[in-house]
Amino acid sequence: MERRRFALAAALTLSGCLAAAGCGGNSGTGDAGSGGGDAAAKPVIGVDYPRSDTDFWNSYISYVPKFAGELGAEVKTTNSQNDIAKLTSNVQTLVGQGVKGVVMAPQDTAAVAPTLQQLEGKKIPAVLVDTRPDTGNAYMVVRADNRAYGEKACKFLGEKLGGKGKVVMLEGDLASINGRDRTEAFNDCMKQNYPGITVFGEATNWDGAVASQKLSTVMTANPDVKGVYMQSSFALAGTLQVLKQRDLLVPPDDPKHVFVVSNDGIPQELKDIAAGNIDATVSQPADLYAKWALSYAQAAIEGKTFQPGETDHDSTIIEVRPGLLEDQLSAPLVTADGGTYGGIPSVKHDDKSLWGNNLS
């Protein structure tokens, strides 16, 4: 397919290439992180951090230098602070600094198209983390299945509420593919499986203050709300505060308990599940986002490519449209008991495989 930006001799599967340090090119089996050879030969990767005002993204930021060191890559970083204009400027800065690949996580997945086009014109591969562009090309998207996030939250709440009652969904930003995927999947699942549950969908633009205010408004008009789905941990503190103010922050076995599901898997969510403040989350892999985004950027610089199929790291590469591949990483449902809800298995909040339990 000629839409690829790089001359590639052959298509390599993920298990046969990226997992092996010396796959492809002429590098043999040398240790990329050993420091041997000319330091100038290290691939220079530009990484734009999308924001630094949430625990999840701050965790991702902390993993980038760690995995860059393991790969033997040099990184230059910027922070676009959830501003697409700043992202555009930052990418131009990184290109001016001579990066050979760019990793970014655009929160506005429509407006990033011109930036991707500019990188493509300069033959600089782009790897997108967490979000998929609405249009435009990228070497790889590293993401989890965000529709599965919404479905997992739906099944958990649907089972806990016995298929009846009212829930509030604190949506992210519908300008983002993530917000749209989670919202559509949650609504579709509820309609198909739990028609007796009323869903109040509230757009928040990933803003905790907005989420708190809207949750409070809905609960004032509907004091019998029994469930909350937060599409990200940005709403965690505000949601708990609203429940506490209404004397609803009570253990799960209390009849007044409001069941809360989040997305991210940050350490605080895991602690709140243990404490009975919230009931579940979906662990979005901040560590693996950093690891595989940098790995794919390095692979792109080295002239490698990939095909749809199963990987060797518990994920699946899919072709979401002609020429655009997405590595969908594992993102498990996390609960207090590790049970199965509506056919969805979960892991316990204290499971050591969760990145949120392994931060130093």
Side-chain angles (χ1 to χ4, degrees):
M1 187 173 296
E2 198 57 33
R3 295 184 64 181
R4 286 292 183 195
R5 276 79 64 200
F6 317 102
L8 300 167
L12 303 172
T13 62
L14 188 58
S15 60
C17 177
L18 204 51
C23 171
N26 300 312
S27 57
T29 58
D31 182 357
S34 66
D38 186 356
K42 287 185 177 181
V44 182
I45 301 170
V47 181
D48 182 76
Y49 301 136
R51 56 199 303 169
S52 53
D53 58 349
T54 70
D55 289 344
F56 176 81
W57 284 114
N58 283 332
S59 297
Y60 167 79
I61 288 170
S62 73
Y63 281 119
V64 167
K66 173 182 183 295
F67 287 115
E70 290 184 7
L71 286 170
E74 177 185 348
V75 295
K76 296 182 181 295
T77 63
T78 55
N79 191 321
S80 53
Q81 300 170 353
N82 202 26
D83 184 329
I84 191 65
K86 191 168 182 62
L87 171 61
T88 299
S89 175
N90 286 349
V91 170
Q92 291 174 348
T93 297
L94 292 170
V95 171
Q97 292 175 339
V99 302
K100 302 302 182 183
V102 173
V103 173
M104 66 178 95
Q107 305 296 281
D108 188 328
T109 54
V112 74
T115 298
L116 293 176
Q117 188 175 27
Q118 291 172 5
L119 288 172
E120 185 175 14
K122 295 178 181 294
K123 301 190 184 301
I124 297 175
V127 175
L128 270 64
V129 176
D130 181 52
T131 59
R132 179 202 309 150
D134 294 357
T135 60
N137 296 323
Y139 178 83
M140 183 68 74
V141 175
V142 177
R143 188 171 177 251
D145 183 349
N146 277 245
R147 288 192 62 86
Y149 289 8
E151 182 179 356
K152 290 173 182 179
C154 161
K155 292 289 184 69
F156 182 86
L157 288 174
E159 295 300 310
K160 285 293 186 181
L161 271 61
K164 301 176 182 178
K166 299 176 180 178
V167 302
V168 182
M169 173 168 52
L170 298 174
E171 302 166 352
D173 184 351
L174 298 186
S176 162
I177 185 68
N178 289 356
R180 295 196 299 272
D181 275 359
R182 297 175 199 184
T183 297
E184 292 170 2
F186 187 84
N187 284 332
D188 290 346
C189 171
M190 280 294 181
K191 290 176 183 177
Q192 293 171 11
N193 299 283
Y194 310 102
I197 292 180
T198 299
V199 178
F200 297 94
E202 301 295 326
T204 69
N205 196 34
W206 307 116
D207 186 310
V210 172
S212 177
Q213 182 271 319
K214 290 195 172 183
L215 177 61
S216 182
T217 298
V218 173
M219 294 193 73
T220 296
N222 300 272
D224 54 345
V225 163
K226 296 299 293 181
V228 178
Y229 170 38
M230 306 180 299
Q231 289 190 0
S232 170
S233 59
F234 75 94
L236 179 62
T239 293
L240 295 184
Q241 185 62 29
V242 169
L243 295 178
K244 183 176 181 180
Q245 290 170 348
R246 296 171 182 275
D247 196 28
L248 297 175
L249 195 60
V250 295
D253 58 358
D254 189 307
K256 294 192 301 181
H257 182 76
V258 176
F259 291 93
V260 179
V261 182
S262 187
N263 279 162
D264 278 345
I266 63 172
Q268 187 58 51
E269 287 175 325
L270 304 183
K271 292 176 184 177
D272 280 322
I273 292 174
N277 294 329
I278 70 171
D279 303 275
T281 188
V282 177
S283 181
Q284 185 168 219
D287 55 343
L288 300 184
Y289 278 0
K291 177 178 181 177
W292 292 109
L294 291 168
S295 296
Y296 282 120
Q298 185 179 62
I301 293 168
E302 294 173 353
K304 300 168 185 172
T305 191
F306 303 91
Q307 294 179 333
E310 299 296 317
T311 74
D312 63 349
H313 52 271
D314 192 29
S315 69
T316 302
I317 295 177
I318 65 171
E319 186 171 34
V320 294
R321 59 177 181 264
L324 184 64
L325 299 179
E326 177 174 303
D327 187 356
Q328 294 191 331
L329 302 177
S330 177
L333 177 68
V334 182
T335 62
D337 61 1
T340 297
Y341 295 88
I344 304 293
S346 70
V347 299
K348 288 190 67 173
H349 63 89
D350 57 357
D351 193 298
K352 295 303 181 184
S353 69
L354 299 171
W355 68 266
N357 287 324
N358 292 302
L359 290 177
S360 56

